């Protein structure tokens, strides 16, 4: 309809730009993108200046996802109509949308409009990524502009004061900024609570004005003794004052009031706050009590003997527990101060706390239970603290089993307090259940007894029946299933967490790390897609809100939004899912649905292009998402995080290089002349040499270097905490030999190219070399396959044992075999075929030419690949039969109730079913590739 | 022992312990950015001394001043399980009310699932009352029926006669509310 209307209009007015653009919009919306674009460009080249055309083109370009064209449009418009404030403003917004902060740095030459100029400088000043330019040009310009407004008393809005502050602060003019904040302009800062105070505090700190800092901090703490943010400033300032041997001036106080410059003063201030809380009728606040522990911690760090002034840390913590032990956060509060106790005090501490927990009479099992939820919480907290002090880990296996029995008994007893809980609510005693699962896992890792892991899954499954929305239960089950090599149950668990949007970036790794490596390729593709969809929308979304923040005067948010956009674009997970998704597509589909060349083209994959921001990569994973009460020496450290990121980067580099190498095999340079008959072979060879992109060699040497780094890294065998980052596939890829095999296959390409230029006649040495390469490839592949041999799941006596590493190796075999097939199919065959054809022509002339060695070698290679395929399929079939035949119902888990047994068996069933599915997917994929081999005959 | 500070974009990467709760919605990035761009002072997060996020409140100011409907609105309020029973939600609500007072709002309002008794009771304790029921306000995704919401309100000092909180006699449909 719209197109017809536009056509009618165009008949009457041939040059009505706007109608043309409207028609283009119609075309675009009916899927005729190319026509739409051509029509739009007709108008755009005329550089229209009428508002209607400009607006319509803006809409069209946005729908085409070509925001950069909007900037061109308005660049032309402001050139023609330099006095239009509106067009400048549009141009400015257009720059902001595409993130062209550099361009925004060019002030409009003809623009004399104050507000537009202000806009430009300010946005440039606060968003410029070029720090130097920002410091030397935009900020000073913006500062002058705002100063002028101040002088003319034109500053009225809070946002303008905010902006003034930001400009000064960025210029490092802290004294001036402080004057603004403390002066009459600062009074305008009213929207955000305590905005003035926190800004003052940060300026005092930057200016190292410790007396003022100290004085303001204690004034604010007097007002709200629970406001934690000011305690660190209070204590820091004290120590700076001590270090400077500061003494109060003869007359009067500092500008903020009195200063506490001795430990005694500060200690007594904190004690007074505690007395205040003790004497209150209403709820006591934790702040002052924790502040005392914090002060003690800092004094100890400095080696100050005055630590004694505050008392004995054990007594203080017992006192804290007495007051706040019934709060679920008591463990979180105390855990950061446990190091104040000496190891000999640990047992004593836990015993003291235990005495303060009111429990009822001992029952038949020998356990006494709490009679209300407050007592339950206290008892639970003692268990949590014991674990955090390492007392659980120190127990012998028998002791651990007794502990588990106690935790389970408390868990089940506690359910009575939540008998009427909604399914969206947690049970009061859930954390006992989680802790029992943790201790089971400790035992599994310590003794290797697989029954422990089944029971850990069992107890968590039991927990979910009473508390179906407990995310921690689901997360831990998910992790344990992955460690057992079973991905199938993970899909449902993860989806019931309802993780969305940014959570794909923070916890999506739980899926993407395991799905593909455990052979569930369909789930792997889907997991990557979830994440990719999120990342792709980020670019457009964030730009829009940078402009909004500007419009609404939320200037502080502009750099924040820009940083967010960068953080997402530079996300490790983003780069991983991008790469893995394309690799999956190639492994799964290339040369089946489309040829490798077409697949590579469809992905716009360019071997020369490396789009991963290696130097600025951000690790956005939430590695603390698992609740953990492990002692300090078992917790995740910064070193773990650093090493994990390093390992992920190296693995990603290997994957990305593999991908780009595959793409380079499919790039046009490798396509031999279509019809060899038209060109003689010599010429084809010349072309081959001339067109050969050096990229293959470059990428190969990068691959070898990365493999060296990878080998060094794998030697270190970094162990991460179980609840920390998962190890990458790197170590197992190296030990299975799959990395080396892939590299060898790709390396052969170089020799084949040499052969392509040398021809078949004068290259017997090269041919032998290539044939050796073929043979070695087969040997390597066979070795990988041998590493899969063994039973994935077996019953030993009454125990069910898993061997997930066999499954991982099988998947490596599938991957590397598919890769080498793709490589052979698209590369060797295409290089060898024309060579052979030209040979056959010669043959017709001379009848006594033998088949060249390399062709024989190639035929042997395809034959061996066929054999390996048969072997692999037989292995898979054997495993499937074996696993299906296992009689899990016959297993018994000693010392467990019937319910417990059935929960644990449900977990076993899930693992069994998941293995079968992985085997099936792997088998199907291998079979799909069987055709490729048949087509390889030359 | 809590630091109350403005919510920042980086907090989006740390709020899983709060948002992996079945009643806490994780919105798309644009939704958070819209609030941060327009009403940054209304988006406050509480942080524990160890750096864990404890909870947050996200709100806005809206409504016509002329019709005496200018008010503060609570869009989201959530506290992580381990930081519950500290009075944190009440503290965050108090802050939102304070900001709304400063902006000259007549009342503060919020929507809550009818089934979420814990929250309804808490809001009642904080002085909120049910102004109206909104039918099928919460759409369910998993085949379960849509759920009704209570629109709860608390008058601010500007509404001296507490006109804004007089309950409506009949429930309304989502399309009838602004």
């Amino acid at each position: 309809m719209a197109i017809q209307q536009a056509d009618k209009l165009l008949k009457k007015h041939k040059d009505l730009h706007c109608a043309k653009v409207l028609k283009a919009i119609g075309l675009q919306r009916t899927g005729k993108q190319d026509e739409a674009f051509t029509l739009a460009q007709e108008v755009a080249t005329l550089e229209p200046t009428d508002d209607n055309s400009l607006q319509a083109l803006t809409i069209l370009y946005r729908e085409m996802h070509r925001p950069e064209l909007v900037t061109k449009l308005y660049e032309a418009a402001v050139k023609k109509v330099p006095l239009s404030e509106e067009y400048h403003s549009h141009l400015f917004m257009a720059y902001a949308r595409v993130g062209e902060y550099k361009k925004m740095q060019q002030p409009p030459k003809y623009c004399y409009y104050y507000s537009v100029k202000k806009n430009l400088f300010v946005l440039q000043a606060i968003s410029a990524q070029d720090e130097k330019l920002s410091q030397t040009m935009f900020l000073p310009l913006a500062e002058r502009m705002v100063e002028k407004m101040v002088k003319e008393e034109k500053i009225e809005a809070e946002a303008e004061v905010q902006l003034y502050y930001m400009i000064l602060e960025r210029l490092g003019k802290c004294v001036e900024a402080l004057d603004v904040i403390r002066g009459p302009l600062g009074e305008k800062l009213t929207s955000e609570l305590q905005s003035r105070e926190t800004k003052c505090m940060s300026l005092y700190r930057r200016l190292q004005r410790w007396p003022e800092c100290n004085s303001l901090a204690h004034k604010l703490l007097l007002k709200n003794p629970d406001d934690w943010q000011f305690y660190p400033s209070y204590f820091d300032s004290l120590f700076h004052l001590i270090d400077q041997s500061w003494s109060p001036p003869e007359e009067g106080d500092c500008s903020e009031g009195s200063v506490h410059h001795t430990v005694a003063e500060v200690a007594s201030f904190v004690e007074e706050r505690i007395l205040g809380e003790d004497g209150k009728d209403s709820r006591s606040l934790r702040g002052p009590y924790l502040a005392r522990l914090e002060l003690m911690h800092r004094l100890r760090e400095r080696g100050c003997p005055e630590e004694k002034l505050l008392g004995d840390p054990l007594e203080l913590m017992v006192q804290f527990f007495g007051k706040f032990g019934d709060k679920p956060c008591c463990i979180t509060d105390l855990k950061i101060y446990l190091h104040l106790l000496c190891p000999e005090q640990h047992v004593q501490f836990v015993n003291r706390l235990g005495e303060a927990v009111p429990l009822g009479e001992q029952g038949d099992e020998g356990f006494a239970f709490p009679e209300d939820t407050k007592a339950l919480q206290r008892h639970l907290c003692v268990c949590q603290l014991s674990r955090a002090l390492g007392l659980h880990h120190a127990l012998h296996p028998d002791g651990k089993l007794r502990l588990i029995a106690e935790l389970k008994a408390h868990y089940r007893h506690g359910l009575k307090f939540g008998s009427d809980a909604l399914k969206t609510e947690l049970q009061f005693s859930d954390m006992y259940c989680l802790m029992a699962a943790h201790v089971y896992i400790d035992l599994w890792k310590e003794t290797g007894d697989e029954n422990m892991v089944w029971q850990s899954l069992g107890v968590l499954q039991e927990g979910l029946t009473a508390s179906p929305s407990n995310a921690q239960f689901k997360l831990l089950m998910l992790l344990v299933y992955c460690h057992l090599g079973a991905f199938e149950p993970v899909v449902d668990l993860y989806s019931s967490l309802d993780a969305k949007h940014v959570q794909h970036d923070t916890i999506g790794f739980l899926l993407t790390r395991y799905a593909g490596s455990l052979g569930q390729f369909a789930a792997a593709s889907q997991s990557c897609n979830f994440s990719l969809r999120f990342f792709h929308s980020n670019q457009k979304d964030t730009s829009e809100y940078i402009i909004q923040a500007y419009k609404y005067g939320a200037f502080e948010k502009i750099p924040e939004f820009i940083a967010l956009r960068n953080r997402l674009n530079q996300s490790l997970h983003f780069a991983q899912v991008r790469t893995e998704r394309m690799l999956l597509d190639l492994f799964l589909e290339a040369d089946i649905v489309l040829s490798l060349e077409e697949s590579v083209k469809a992905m716009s994959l360019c071997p020369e292009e490396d789009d991963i921001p290696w130097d600025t990569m951000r690790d956005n994973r939430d590695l603390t998402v698992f609740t953990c009460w492990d002692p300090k020496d078992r917790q995740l450290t910064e070193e773990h995080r650093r090493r994990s990121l390093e390992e992920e980067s190296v693995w990603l580099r290997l994957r990305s290089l593999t991908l780009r190498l595959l793409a380079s095999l499919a790039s046009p340079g490798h396509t031999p002349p279509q019809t060899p008959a038209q060109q003689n072979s010599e010429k084809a060879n010349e072309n081959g040499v001339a067109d050969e992109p050096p990229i293959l060699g470059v990428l190969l040497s990068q691959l070898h270097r990365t493999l060296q780094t990878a080998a060094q890294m794998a030697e270190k065998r970094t162990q991460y905490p179980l609840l920390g980052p998962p190890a990458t596939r790197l170590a197992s890829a190296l030990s299975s030999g799959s990395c080396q095999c892939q590299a060898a296959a790709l390396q052969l390409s170089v020799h084949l190219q040499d052969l392509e230029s040398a021809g078949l006649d004068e290259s017997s040495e090269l041919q032998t070399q290539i044939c050796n390469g073929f043979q070695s490839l087969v040997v390597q592949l066979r070795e990988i396959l041998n590493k899969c041999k063994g039973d994935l799941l077996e019953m030993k006596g009454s125990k069910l044992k898993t061997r997930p590493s066999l499954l991982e190796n099988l998947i490596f075999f599938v991957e590397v075999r598919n890769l080498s097939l793709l490589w052979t199919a698209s590369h060797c065959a295409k290089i060898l075929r024309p060579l052979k054809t030209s040979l056959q022509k010669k043959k017709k002339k001379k009848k006594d030419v033998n088949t060249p060695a390399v062709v024989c070698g190639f035929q042997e290679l395809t034959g061996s690949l066929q054999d390996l395929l048969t072997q692999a399929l037989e292995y898979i079939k054997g495993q499937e039969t074996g696993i299906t035949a296992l009689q899990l119902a016959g297993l018994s888990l000693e010392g467990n109730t019937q319910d417990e047994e059935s929960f644990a068996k449900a977990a076993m069933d899930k693992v069994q079913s998941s293995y079968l599915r992985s085997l099936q997917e792997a088998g199907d994929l291998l079979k799909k590739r069987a055709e490729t081999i048949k087509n390889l005959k030359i | 022992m809590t630091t109350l500070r403005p919510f920042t974009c980086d907090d989006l990467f740390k709020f899983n312990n709060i948002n992996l709760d079945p009643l806490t919605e994780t919105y798309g990035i644009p939704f958070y950015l819209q609030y941060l761009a327009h009403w940054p002072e209304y988006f406050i997060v509480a942080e524990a001394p160890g750096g864990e996020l404890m909870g947050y409140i996200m709100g806005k100011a809206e409504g016509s001043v002329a019709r005496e409907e200018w008010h503060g609105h609570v869009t989201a309020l959530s506290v992580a399980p381990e930081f519950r029973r500290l009075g944190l939600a009440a503290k965050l609500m108090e802050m939102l009310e304070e900001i709304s007072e400063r902006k000259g709002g007549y009342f503060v309002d919020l929507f809550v699932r009818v089934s979420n008794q814990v929250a309804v009771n808490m809001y009642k304790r904080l002085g909120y009352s049910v102004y109206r029921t909104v039918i099928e306000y919460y759409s369910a995704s998993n085949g379960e029926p849509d759920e009704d919401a209570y629109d709860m309100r608390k008058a601010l000092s500007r509404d001296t006669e507490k006109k804004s909180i007089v309950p409506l006699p009949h429930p309304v449909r989502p399309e009838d509310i602004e």
Side-chain angles (χ1 to χ4, degrees), chain A residues 97-120:
Chain A
R97 273 200 182 88
V98 292
E100 283 248 27
Y101 304 107
K102 276 251 165 65
K103 284 270 179 64
M104 297 196 304
Q105 291 160 9
Q106 299 156 4
K109 280 183 194 134
Y110 316 98
C111 174
Y112 301 101
Y113 285 82
Y114 184 64
S115 63
V116 173
K117 243 172 30 178
K118 189 185 91 184
N119 277 353
L120 278 170

Side-chain angles (χ1 to χ4, degrees), chain A residues 596-608:
Chain A
L596 177 62
E597 285 80 4
E598 287 165 326
S599 300
V600 166
K601 201 179 157 213
M603 292 178 200
S604 328
L605 189 58
C606 168
E608 284 81 8

Side-chain angles (χ1 to χ4, degrees), chain A residues 138-156:
Chain A
F138 303 122
L139 284 166
L141 276 171
E143 184 197 8
R144 243 179 287 156
M145 199 116 48
V146 184
E147 261 172 7
K148 193 164 167 253
M149 287 171 75
V150 175
K151 275 192 199 120
E152 291 166 7
E153 296 188 354
K154 273 190 186 157
I155 285 205
E156 282 161 12

Side-chain angles (χ1 to χ4, degrees), chain A residues 239-471:
Chain A
F239 296 132
H240 282 292
L241 292 171
I242 292 176
D243 292 344
Q244 292 169 0
S245 319
W246 185 87
S247 60
E250 305 258 310
E251 275 173 49
D253 290 325
C254 81
S255 62
E256 286 283 355
S258 66
V259 178
H260 297 164
H261 67 289
T262 64
V263 175
E265 277 175 296
V266 168
S268 79
F269 176 81
V270 173
E271 297 288 353
E272 279 164 32
R273 304 284 74 68
I274 291 172
L275 284 176
E277 292 302 318
D278 282 342
K280 256 173 40 178
D281 292 333
S282 56
R283 190 200 297 265
S284 297
L285 299 167
R286 292 134 60 234
Y289 301 89
L290 282 173
R292 181 162 59 184
L293 289 168
E294 175 69 21
L295 180 58
M296 184 174 263
H297 155 69
R298 288 179 182 231
L299 288 169
R300 187 173 292 187
E301 260 188 343
R302 283 174 59 92
C304 280
E306 284 126 315
E307 179 202 322
K308 303 268 179 306
L309 277 177
L310 295 162
D312 175 8
L314 188 138
E315 292 303 325
L316 296 184
M317 282 194 251
V318 170
Q319 191 195 348
F320 186 86
F321 179 81
K323 272 202 109 61
F324 303 104
D326 57 358
K327 306 288 182 197
C329 68
C330 188
I331 172 69
T332 318
D333 287 342
L334 285 184
K335 131 183 123 184
I336 44 180
Y337 298 113
L338 288 177
H339 63 279
L340 294 174
L341 300 173
C342 54
E344 303 79 63
Q345 287 180 305
H346 289 176
V347 176
Q348 186 200 350
F349 175 60
V350 168
N351 289 341
R352 282 280 302 279
L353 299 185
E355 287 162 20
V357 180
L359 297 177
E361 292 291 308
Q362 232 175 47
D364 299 340
E365 288 172 278
F367 305 127
F369 298 112
E371 283 168 351
D372 58 35
T373 55
K374 288 198 167 178
L376 179 152
Q377 195 56 56
R378 280 182 189 279
H379 182 263
L380 174 64
C381 183
V382 179
C383 297
Q384 291 166 328
L385 285 165
S386 306
R387 190 164 174 85
L389 288 167
L391 301 182
H392 289 181
H393 293 88
L395 290 171
H396 288 294
D398 281 345
K400 286 196 173 105
L401 285 171
R402 269 197 302 279
L403 171 67
I404 289 171
E406 185 183 351
L407 291 169
K408 288 202 291 197
H410 273 273
Y411 165 63
R412 289 172 191 146
H413 176 267
L415 289 176
K416 72 174 186 186
F417 301 118
S419 52
D420 55 352
L422 299 171
K423 64 178 184 188
T424 48
E425 286 172 67
L426 303 176
Q427 288 288 340
F428 291 98
S429 60
D430 272 354
M431 290 296 135
Y432 285 115
C433 177
L434 187 67
M435 197 180 290
H438 280 168
V439 185
Y440 270 131
I441 293 171
D442 293 342
L443 272 170
W444 171 43
K445 290 286 164 194
E446 186 182 331
T447 65
D449 181 354
E450 208 126 337
N451 271 356
M452 296 301 124
V453 75
W454 299 122
Q455 292 183 55
S456 128
L457 285 169
V459 77
L460 289 167
Q461 188 64 51
E462 179 186 343
L464 272 185
T465 55
S467 190
S469 55
N470 188 314

